[in-house]
Amino acid sequence: MNSIQRLAELLSELPGIGPRQSKRIVYHLLTRRRDFLNELSDRVRTIADSIAECASCHRFYEKGSGNGDLCSICGDPHRDRSLLMIVARDADLDSMEKAKGYNGLYFVLGGTVPILEKEPRKTIREDELLKTIERYASTLKEIIFALNANPEGENTETYLTRELDPQKEKYSLGFSKLGRGLSTGSELEYADKNTLQNALQNRH
């Protein structure tokens, strides 16, 4: 296997990138200036050293930009601690923040539960979610499921609703999900600002 094939193979392991796209990326990189390639390789090599994972919401954030082991959102005393929004990935959290219609806290599951998955706990941060709910139990009133409007998102919501039922009873929590605005099959990451604001305001 030559260098082009190996790099294309590595790139194809990234989400949303298939074999053809990965080859295009490699050939595009070969046309770029060396200083660009050097910076790109440096960023990829050192990113793990400059990024931390929030102890509460589990999103990735730049080291030094948070508050202790918390990211800037979880460490912000002005955020509404009565609301906890559950999202699948960091990109979904970023989309909700850009929409500027939500001022509560978040939890990043790290994925979703496939429909035929026999061990759901291995695909999402379920144990960490329980700890985060416990952390905010004294102020928490509502958990918002902000998951993709597709089969995996709906399956994840159904699974978590069942698993979190004891916490719902114990802490008198309300459960809601994003409402009208998100069409079936849509993903939060690609939804526009108005659509997300609409879905949040019409949660049920």
Side-chain angles (χ1 to χ4, degrees), residues 120-134:
R121 280 179 177 267
K122 290 186 176 181
T123 66
I124 58 174
R125 299 182 177 118
E126 185 175 341
D127 293 334
E128 292 88 340
L129 174 58
L130 293 173
K131 290 177 184 176
T132 296
I133 291 174
E134 217 171 289

Side-chain angles (χ1 to χ4, degrees), residues 51-61 84-93 106-114 119-133 145 147 156 159-160 163-164:
I51 300 296
E53 185 179 309
C54 179
S56 180
C57 72
H58 293 274
R59 71 185 281 244
F60 294 112
Y61 69 100
L84 180 67
M85 180 179 288
I86 298 177
V87 296
R89 297 178 176 81
D90 289 67
D92 300 329
L93 186 156
Y106 295 93
F107 184 86
V108 181
L109 287 172
T112 52
V113 179
E119 298 181 87
R121 280 179 177 267
K122 290 186 176 181
T123 66
I124 58 174
R125 299 182 177 118
E126 185 175 341
D127 293 334
E128 292 88 340
L129 174 58
L130 293 173
K131 290 177 184 176
T132 296
I133 291 174
F145 295 103
L147 301 167
T156 305
Y159 172 76
L160 286 177
E163 290 294 298
L164 297 180

Side-chain angles (χ1 to χ4, degrees), residues 2-201:
N2 63 36
S3 299
I4 290 176
Q5 290 172 325
R6 180 53 184 155
L7 181 54
E9 189 178 80
L10 289 171
L11 289 171
S12 68
E13 293 185 21
L14 297 174
I17 298 180
R20 288 185 180 179
Q21 290 169 307
S22 64
K23 270 280 181 70
R24 286 196 202 103
I25 292 173
V26 173
Y27 287 127
H28 175 72
L29 290 174
L30 290 171
T31 67
R32 298 303 301 266
R33 292 165 56 92
R34 184 163 293 277
D35 56 350
F36 171 84
L37 297 176
N38 288 339
E39 182 178 0
L40 178 63
S41 62
D42 286 343
R43 294 288 180 180
V44 171
R45 186 173 60 253
T46 62
I47 190 169
D49 298 325
S50 61
I51 300 296
E53 185 179 309
C54 179
S56 180
C57 72
H58 293 274
R59 71 185 281 244
F60 294 112
Y61 69 100
E62 193 84 24
K63 287 180 179 177
S65 66
N67 183 0
D69 61 353
L70 300 178
C71 69
S72 58
I73 293 176
C74 293
D76 184 352
H78 299 106
R79 302 290 296 208
D80 186 349
R81 280 165 165 66
S82 70
L83 299 173
L84 180 67
M85 180 179 288
I86 298 177
V87 296
R89 297 178 176 81
D90 289 67
D92 300 329
L93 186 156
D94 290 342
S95 294
M96 292 303 305
E97 281 296 285
K98 287 176 183 175
K100 299 185 182 300
Y102 177 72
N103 191 45
L105 299 173
Y106 295 93
F107 184 86
V108 181
L109 287 172
T112 52
V113 179
I115 293 175
L116 299 178
E117 178 60 51
K118 294 180 179 179
E119 298 181 87
R121 280 179 177 267
K122 290 186 176 181
T123 66
I124 58 174
R125 299 182 177 118
E126 185 175 341
D127 293 334
E128 292 88 340
L129 174 58
L130 293 173
K131 290 177 184 176
T132 296
I133 291 174
E134 217 171 289
R135 179 195 288 256
Y136 299 112
S138 62
T139 58
L140 192 58
K141 294 180 181 177
E142 181 184 355
I143 291 178
I144 305 168
F145 295 103
L147 301 167
N148 293 334
N150 58 27
E152 280 202 1
E154 291 171 2
N155 186 56
T156 305
E157 182 190 324
T158 299
Y159 172 76
L160 286 177
T161 299
R162 183 175 67 248
E163 290 294 298
L164 297 180
D165 193 60
Q167 282 68 35
K168 182 179 182 180
E169 297 297 320
K170 182 178 181 181
Y171 301 122
S172 299
L173 300 174
F175 286 0
S176 65
K177 62 181 179 178
L178 297 185
R180 291 173 299 171
L182 282 177
S183 58
T184 301
S186 62
E187 297 185 18
L188 260 65
E189 181 182 352
Y190 304 113
D192 62 70
K193 175 181 175 180
N194 291 333
T195 297
L196 289 176
Q197 288 181 346
N198 235 3
L200 182 62
Q201 290 169 3

